[in-house]
Amino acid sequence: MIPEIGQFALALALMIALVQSILPVLGAARGNLLWMRSARASSIAQLVFIGIAFLALTRSFIVSDFTVANVVENSHSLKPMLYKVAGTWGSHEGSLLLWVLILAAFGAGVALLGSNIPDALKARTLSVQAWISTGFLSFLILTSNPFERIFPPPLDGNDLNPLLQDVGLAMHPPLLYFGYVGFSIVFSFAVAALIEGRVDAAWARRVRPWTLAAWMSLTAGIALGSWWAYYELGWGGWWFWDPVENVSFMPWLLGTALLHSAIVTEKRDAFKSWTILLAILTFSLSLLGTFIVRSGLLTSVHAFAVDPERGLYILGLLGVSIGGSLGLYAWRAPAMEGGGLFAPISREAGLLVNNLLLGAATGTVLFGTLYPLFMEAVVGTKISVGPPFFNAAFIPMMLPLVVVMGFGPFLSWKRADLKGIFQRLRFVAVLAGLSGLAVWYLTEGGPVLAYLSVAIAVWLLLATLREWTTRIRLFEVPFADAMRRARNMPRSSHGMTLAHAGLAVAMLGFIGSSAWKSEEIVFVQPGAEIAIAGFDVRFDGVERVQGPNYVADRGTLTVTRDGDPVTILYPERRFYLVAQSSTTESAIRSTLAGDLYASLAEPASEDTAASGAWTLRILYEPLVNFIWIGAAMLVLGGGLSLSDRRLRVGAPRRAITPAAQATPAE
C-alpha cells in the first residue's frame, strides 16, 4: 500500500506542477495578483507530495519490501541500515526522485523566503521552475517508475553495488544533486528576467544567495566524491578526469564565474548579459551531465547506464530547455547592455578576465569529454581522452587565473592604480618566488611547472592574507582596533578571503600529491619489507575476517622509520557474497605532511594465495590532505558569505528610530 501512496503522490505533484507552470505566468502577464500568488501554495504543495513519495520509497528500503523492483535490485536484508537508506538514491529511479525532490525544495524555498521579490518576478520564476519539474516528473512517472511492483517477490534482494556501500558515497549524491539542481532556480530567475525584459542590481542581489548555496553544495559534493575515490578505489588518486567527474566539474567552473559576474551586476549594473548567459549555461551543463550519465553512453562506477530510450527523453528535455532559453536570450539580451564604464585596469576588468578564463576552461573540459563520444557515434572508433590532454590543456589556463585572483581584491571599481598595487604586493611576490625556489632546493627533482605552480599558490595565499590585513589595518593600528574592524567587516568579505585562501591551500595539495608522489607495487610474502619515502613497511600476512555482509582478507603492515615504530596498517580485500564482487579497502596513515597509503590487490593465483603471497600497492602522497582542507575552506567561505545580512533572502526591515517610537504625548 505504501508504494502505491508514493506513486499517487508523484502523480499529484505532476498535476500541481502543470498548473504552476501556467497559471502564475499568465497572472504576471495579465496583472492578476491572485494567480501570481498561487505559485506559493503550489510550490509548497509540490514539495509536500514529492516528499511523501520519497519517504515512501525510503520506507520500502528500510523494511526491505521486496515486492518493489527497485528495492530488489539495490538492497539486501543483510545490508547495514545506513546503506539501506542510501539505496534509496543508489539507482537511476531513486536518484531521479531525489533530483525532483531537491528541485521542488528550491522552488518552495523561493516561495517561502523570497518575501522581497516582486510578485511578477516571483510568479515567472516559480512557473519556469515548474516547467522543469513537469519535465522530470513526467520522465520519472512514464519511464522510470521507482515504485514498480514485482510478483512473486524474491526471498532477498540483489544488493547495492559494493563500491557504493560507503559513508562518503552515501552523502556524495545528495550534496552533488543539491548543487546541480540548485542552479535550476538561478536558471529560472534568468529566464523570468528575460521574459520580463529587466535585469538590474536588485535582481542580481536576489539571485546571489541561491547561486552561492548551489555552488557550496556542488563544491562539497565534488570534494566528497574525490575523497571517496581516493580512499575507496585503491589506486591512490583523487581525480582521473573521468567523464562522470567532468560533468560535475563543468557546472562548478561556470557557477564560479556566475558568482563573480553577479557581483558586477549588483555593484556596477554591468555584465548583465554575462550573468544571464552564465546562469543559463550553468544549469544547461547540469542537464547535459544528467543526459550523459543516464543515457547509456557511459559505463562508470557512478553512472547509470540505462535504456537509451530514456536518454532520448532526457535529450528532448535538454533541447527544449537549452534551445528555448538560449533563443529567448538571443532575443532579449541586446536590450540589456548598460551599466558603468570601466578602465582596462579595474575590478570589472579583472572579473571579466575571470569569466573568460573560466569559460575557456569549461569549453576545454567539455571538448575533452564529448569528443570521444562524438567519434564513437560518427565513425565507430573508440578513443580515449585522458589526464595527459586535460592536464596539458586545463592547467596552463588556470595558472594565469590564480595570478589574477591575487590582484583582484586590490583592484578598485572603474579604475585602479596598478602601480600602487604592485608596491603593496612586491614583498608578497618576492616571498612567492622564494617559496618556489625553496621547494626546488628541498625536493629531489620534479617538473618545472610544479615549482611554478607552488610559487603561484603561495602568491595567492599571501596576497589574500595581505588584502585582509590591509582591510583591518593590522600592524597599522592597535591590535584591539584591528580586531574591531575585523568584526565590523561584512561577512561576505571574510568569506571571500577564506575561499580564496582555500583554493591556494587546495592547490598545494594538488601539486604535492601529483608531482612528488612515491609509489611501489610489489609482490610480497609474509616478512617482506618495502622502503618508501623514508618509511620501512613490513608485510606480516593476511587473515580472513567476517563483515556484516561480506568476508574480507585483511593484511597487516607494520610501519617503522629509522627503526622506530610509526603505525600498523590494515588494508582489506572484501568479497560481497550476494553481489559476487570484490572491493579494495585501503589503509591510510594521514598527516599534514602527507599520507602513507596501502592497498591489497588480489593474489596472482590460488597457489600464491595459499602460500600467503599478495600484490601490495604502497604510496606516499605529500600534502594530499591539503586538498580536503582547502575544499572545506571553500565551503566555509561560501557559508560565511551566505550568512551576510546583505544577502539574506527575506525582505529587509527598516529599523524604528526613537523618534518614530515616541508618542505625541511625549
Side-chain angles (χ1 to χ4, degrees), residues 235-300:
W235 59 288
W238 40 267
W239 193 262
F240 194 65
W241 293 105
D242 178 273
V244 182
E245 293 173 333
N246 294 347
V247 297
S248 64
F249 188 43
M250 289 185 289
W252 185 87
L253 289 171
L254 280 193
T256 304
L258 172 61
L259 269 177
H260 292 84
S261 186
I263 294 173
V264 184
T265 303
E266 178 186 346
K267 302 290 186 184
R268 297 280 298 135
D269 199 31
F271 287 18
K272 296 177 184 178
S273 290
W274 260 110
T275 305
I276 291 290
L277 181 61
L278 287 169
I280 292 172
L281 293 180
T282 300
F283 183 59
S284 296
L285 286 175
S286 297
L287 292 179
L288 179 64
T290 303
F291 166 69
I292 290 175
V293 171
R294 298 172 188 275
S295 63
L297 292 174
L298 297 175
T299 300
S300 171

